Amino acid sequence: MNTLKSILVALVLAITTSFYGQTADEIINNYFENTGGKANWEKLDGVTMKGVMKMQGMEIPFEQVMMKDGRQATTIELQGNKMVWGAFDGETYWSRNQMTMEPEKTDSETTENMKKQVKDWPSPFLNYKEKGYTVELIGKETMDGTETFKVKITKDPLLINGQSQPNISHYYFDTENFVPIIIEETINEGPMKGKTIKLSISDYQEVEGLYFPFSQSSEFQSMNFKEFDLNPELEKTLFAFPEGK
């Protein structure tokens, strides 16, 4: 009798695990289908996003470039001056010192973590199995009045102070449209270590057949996008560390 009970429990667990795994993939497949199609996302080589960032009572116009090969750059406008605030050319990651405004290269650990994030383009869920990531459907939750599917994604671990740390995010997909409306991540270092950051994303709009969220906000800042330019042609100097400046 105990043996039969054990077999039944094992079967139930196997079926449940299979169900959740299939459902998580189904949610992800619906997400890509509803936002332009997986094949079209795979063809995307880069994007330039223009908008306004609000933080600490300031409104800062910005332009952010993200490329398939990992290169990225953020340009901002402060008091009428336009400058590249930070960039990554695939090997070197740098940003400006907030006090001196001079460009500084980040430490090797931060740079290595940036290289790992290249696989997240244009979404960590795109071909996630080939990337070595895992996903899990946690269940349904109501977030900000909207019913959602809570999906956990585990990516490559990050290096924090020389130690390997889990790299886990939770995405909340609207059960009606199958698009993420909230992303939660836990801070792994610094004075806010252990705190969960909640990023709300909304206002999905179509751009050349793909749908992008035009609004993102957290407790620290909000970003409202005004324009998306797909597959831009850019000079390599945009991403390079400004040597001698």
Side-chain angles (χ1 to χ4, degrees):
M1 192 62 150
N2 289 335
T3 301
L4 178 60
K5 183 178 179 181
S6 298
I7 292 174
L8 289 174
V9 170
L11 284 172
V12 170
L13 288 174
I15 292 171
T16 302
T17 302
S18 175
F19 169 77
Y20 277 114
Q22 290 174 0
T23 303
D25 282 336
E26 189 173 278
I27 293 167
I28 293 167
N29 290 336
N30 284 332
Y31 161 56
F32 287 118
E33 182 64 28
N34 289 354
T35 57
K38 181 180 176 182
N40 290 325
W41 281 108
E42 290 175 333
K43 294 176 185 177
L44 186 63
D45 289 325
V47 60
T48 297
M49 302 166 279
K50 299 178 182 179
V52 176
M53 176 171 56
K54 297 180 181 179
M55 61 183 299
Q56 298 178 347
M58 299 186 297
E59 291 192 3
I60 305 172
F62 73 91
E63 182 173 315
Q64 188 172 33
V65 177
M66 302 185 73
M67 305 300 291
K68 189 175 186 176
D69 59 12
R71 291 177 298 158
Q72 56 181 272
T74 301
T75 302
I76 65 171
E77 187 176 325
L78 281 176
Q79 299 177 341
N81 296 318
K82 197 172 183 180
M83 70 185 81
V84 178
W85 188 256
F88 178 59
D89 64 4
E91 291 296 331
T92 301
Y93 181 33
W94 64 273
S95 61
R96 292 189 183 274
N97 184 298
Q98 294 187 22
M99 299 299 294
T100 66
M101 305 299 285
E102 294 296 322
E104 298 177 351
K105 295 180 181 179
T106 59
D107 58 71
S108 59
E109 188 172 271
T110 302
T111 300
E112 287 305 309
N113 286 335
M114 176 62 75
K115 290 179 179 180
K116 290 183 178 183
Q117 294 175 35
V118 171
K119 291 198 301 184
D120 289 356
W121 171 266
S123 164
F125 292 103
L126 186 64
N127 300 320
Y128 74 89
K129 292 179 182 178
E130 288 86 341
K131 296 173 180 178
Y133 298 169
T134 61
V135 301
E136 177 186 358
L137 175 61
I138 304 301
K140 284 186 177 181
E141 287 192 25
T142 300
M143 301 293 288
D144 299 337
T146 300
E147 186 179 55
T148 68
F149 294 112
K150 182 179 181 179
V151 177
K152 173 184 175 182
I153 182 166
T154 303
K155 301 182 288 185
D156 292 341
L158 299 175
L159 278 178
I160 307 296
N161 298 322
Q163 301 295 319
S164 181
Q165 298 290 335
N167 185 10
I168 297 171
S169 301
H170 291 95
Y171 283 68
Y172 295 82
F173 290 80
D174 179 347
T175 57
E176 181 178 355
N177 300 306
F178 293 94
V179 294
I181 61 171
I182 290 173
I183 303 172
E184 287 183 342
E185 295 182 338
T186 302
I187 298 176
N188 291 320
E189 60 181 330
M192 296 181 65
K193 181 178 180 180
K195 180 178 176 60
T196 299
I197 299 298
K198 173 183 172 184
L199 177 67
S200 298
I201 52 182
S202 60
D203 191 19
Y204 282 83
Q205 297 182 38
E206 186 267 338
V207 180
E208 298 182 33
L210 297 175
Y211 283 80
F212 295 86
F214 273 63
S215 179
Q216 299 182 10
S217 63
S218 68
E219 60 183 290
F220 303 108
Q221 65 181 35
S222 65
M223 301 174 72
N224 293 310
F225 300 94
K226 297 182 178 180
E227 181 182 340
F228 283 73
D229 178 25
L230 306 190
N231 303 317
E233 295 184 5
L234 303 163
E235 296 291 337
K236 291 183 178 180
T237 53
L238 173 66
F239 309 96
F241 181 77
E243 299 284 357
K245 294 185 180 181

